[in-house]
Amino acid sequence: DQQVKQNSPSLSVQEGRISILNCDYTNSMFDYFLWYKKYPAEGPTFLISISSIKDKNEDGRFTVFLNKSAKHLSLHIVPSQPGDSAVYFCAASYGGATNKLIFGTGTLLAVQP
Amino acid sequence: DVKVTQSSRYLVKRTGEKVFLECVQDMDHENMFWYRQDPGLGLRLIYFSYDVKMKEKGDIPEGYSVSREKKERFSLILESASTNQTSMYLCASRSPTGAFFGQGTRLTVV
């Protein structure tokens, strides 16, 4: 049972345009959400997070939006750069700030020059 | 700077071998995790630990065990390696705001 879903395995975007990566979840108890970026043969690196008490969090070119009623979150990257090409994972947790993270299956973003 | 270090980047082992994957963090975090990453399946949790000598099964613990004798070190053990355990293994250490990952170990079982 996949509690965190990323339904788009891949996404291709032109450099300078907006990239929108989507994530859906089924467990209403999730209270903290994170996005990670992963290059091949490396560990994931943290990008941005959001608590369930908020609906938006912004950090530079990255913005995460949370829609609790739809159980949906999205990551916006503006403007997209070729170096953003990587696999992006969303993750969720509940029941404590240091509890386990449950990950989605990932979306491969390709930013074309 | 936060650091999670996995002992090997690449490993090749034979079927039936006992395999140890080591992970060390320098952040004094209590919670540590082992995930494996496979194409199309994302990161799946194998085991996690909330404290020294404490461990809990994740979603796919079969064929694995763990050891946490010291707070900074969390080891994943493949008791008898099999070809379906060929994967990228990722160790993580958790803070209240997120998880920090090691660089990963690409294990191939032949």
Side-chain angles (χ1 to χ4, degrees):
Chain A
D1 180 29
Q2 191 77 25
Q3 297 186 68
V4 179
K5 301 176 186 178
Q6 293 176 257
N7 292 318
S8 297
S10 62
L11 175 68
S12 183
V13 170
Q14 286 294 121
E15 181 178 5
R17 306 294 290 269
I18 184 171
S19 294
I20 300 176
L21 297 106
N22 294 304
C23 180
D24 296 296
Y25 60 95
T26 58
N27 191 337
S28 58
M29 293 180 65
F30 286 142
D31 54 16
Y32 200 72
F33 303 88
L34 308 91
W35 282 96
Y36 282 83
K37 174 181 179 180
K38 187 179 184 300
Y39 294 118
E42 292 184 15
T45 54
F46 170 75
L47 274 177
I48 192 168
S49 62
I50 188 167
S51 164
S52 60
I53 62 172
K54 294 187 171 183
D55 54 21
K56 178 183 174 181
N57 189 25
E58 197 170 349
D59 184 2
R61 296 188 298 117
F62 302 94
T63 303
V64 56
F65 296 91
L66 175 63
N67 182 334
K68 288 189 291 293
S69 61
K71 294 191 178 69
H72 177 82
L73 66 155
S74 61
L75 174 68
H76 292 209
I77 306 173
V78 184
S80 302
Q81 300 172 353
D84 295 330
S85 297
V87 177
Y88 289 78
F89 291 99
C90 68
S93 70
Y94 65 91
T98 56
N99 209 346
K100 62 183 180 181
L101 291 175
I102 298 170
F103 284 83
T105 52
T107 297
L108 174 62
L109 173 66
V111 180
Q112 310 295 336
Chain B
D1 220 11
V2 162
K3 200 158 187 182
V4 179
T5 303
Q6 294 182 228
S7 52
S8 304
R9 292 293 299 270
Y10 300 95
L11 275 178
V12 180
K13 296 292 182 181
R14 293 196 179 277
T15 301
E17 274 193 79
K18 190 168 187 175
V19 181
F20 293 85
L21 302 182
E22 307 285 346
C23 176
V24 177
Q25 52 102 353
D26 64 357
M27 296 162 285
D28 202 36
H29 290 159
E30 291 180 347
N31 293 8
M32 295 185 74
F33 307 85
W34 275 105
Y35 291 87
R36 62 179 280 179
Q37 182 200 358
D38 300 287
L41 298 176
L43 276 69
R44 294 180 293 166
L45 182 64
I46 305 171
Y47 265 98
F48 59 107
S49 170
Y50 287 123
D51 204 347
V52 174
K53 295 192 186 296
M54 295 183 70
K55 60 186 178 185
E56 287 199 30
K57 293 180 180 178
D59 299 319
I60 50 164
E62 296 78 19
Y64 304 94
S65 63
V66 291
S67 172
R68 185 118 181 250
E69 296 296 319
K70 293 185 177 181
K71 191 175 186 180
E72 68 270 19
R73 187 179 298 269
F74 191 34
S75 302
L76 180 69
I77 303 155
L78 287 67
E79 297 291 342
S80 177
S82 63
T83 54
N84 63 13
Q85 292 178 310
T86 291
S87 186
M88 168 71 92
Y89 289 88
L90 294 158
C91 173
S93 172
R94 183 83 202 263
S95 75
T97 53
F100 300 92
F101 283 85
Q103 76 277 30
T105 297
R106 169 65 66 183
L107 172 67
T108 302
V109 182
V110 298

